[in-house]
Amino acid sequence: MKTIIEDTRQKEEKHREKNRQWSEDGIRVFRNKLIVGDYCLPPTISVDTKQNISEIAANICGSLKERKRFLRECKKAKDIDCKLVFLIEDKRYQSIDDLFGKKVWILSEPKRSITGDQLAVAMVTMAERYGVKFMFCDPKDTAQMVYEILTEGRTEGSGNNGE
């Protein structure tokens, strides 16, 4: 299904006819605040950086509130056909496979840990279900990696797992 993003400052009641036509044409309208303009196409790729493995563990295996928020983000990306890449800034890991046999602390719950096996399986499941990608990098390489992912569509290399 095709998607158009409509700025949330657009008054819905004044644009019903456009939205009806789009709906009939199989185009879904997703409302979100835009920096400029009233309508745009969704991005094709987006990067969400995580400060370390503990942050992504909190997103995926932390509190119910955090897990729901994370899932909503993944679902939205899938719904608008956007490749969402989670870039985890943690030089201890190169790929999801490196998590096996490790203990991972959950950032938002300092006294709680999970096994790396649990986290790895959850990440692979998320990748399969929502089309998200998990990549890893040394924090000193983050700026370059983000740039390459966004400009070149690069989603292979360090941490080539989760697709």
Side-chain angles (χ1 to χ4, degrees):
M1 175 176 263
K2 296 176 185 174
T3 303
I4 292 175
I5 299 175
E6 177 182 54
D7 188 72
T8 51
R9 293 167 291 197
Q10 278 287 82
K11 293 181 174 71
E12 288 183 271
E13 65 277 359
K14 290 186 176 184
H15 303 281
R16 285 194 175 112
E17 180 59 24
K18 280 187 274 193
N19 287 304
R20 185 193 60 74
Q21 289 175 13
W22 284 325
S23 179
E24 288 176 5
D25 292 338
I27 299 170
R28 195 178 69 159
V29 176
F30 179 82
R31 291 179 55 82
N32 200 42
K33 184 177 178 188
L34 298 177
I35 296 170
V36 295
D38 296 326
Y39 301 95
C40 73
L41 295 175
T44 57
I45 192 161
S46 186
V47 178
D48 187 340
T49 56
K50 302 297 176 182
Q51 67 182 329
N52 54 40
I53 200 70
S54 294
E55 183 178 0
I56 196 73
N59 294 155
I60 296 173
C61 303
S63 70
L64 180 60
K65 181 180 177 182
E66 180 62 19
R67 290 192 320 263
K68 284 183 175 182
R69 185 207 58 78
F70 185 77
L71 284 173
R72 276 193 310 272
E73 183 176 2
C74 293
K75 287 176 185 175
K76 281 181 189 177
K78 182 178 181 180
D79 288 347
I80 63 171
D81 202 26
C82 175
K83 181 71 169 181
L84 179 56
V85 177
F86 293 100
L87 183 59
I88 302 151
E89 303 173 73
D90 199 324
K91 64 183 176 182
R92 297 173 295 172
Y93 305 96
Q94 298 299 308
S95 73
I96 290 173
D97 292 338
D98 294 341
L99 294 169
F100 288 97
K102 303 285 190 326
K103 183 179 199 175
V104 178
W105 295 97
I106 296 178
L107 185 66
S108 57
E109 303 171 44
K111 296 182 180 180
R112 184 168 164 238
S113 67
I114 58 170
T115 69
D117 298 35
Q118 290 172 298
L119 182 57
V121 168
M123 290 168 85
V124 169
T125 300
M126 299 284 302
E128 291 170 353
R129 188 170 292 156
Y130 301 107
V132 299
K133 174 91 175 169
F134 297 92
M135 295 177 68
F136 299 81
C137 71
D138 188 307
K140 68 178 177 51
D141 299 326
T142 302
Q144 183 64 32
M145 289 289 293
V146 168
Y147 183 78
E148 288 176 10
I149 291 166
L150 293 175
T151 60
E152 301 168 14
R154 177 182 167 199
T155 58
E156 63 275 340
S158 178
N160 188 20
N161 277 311
E163 203 167 66

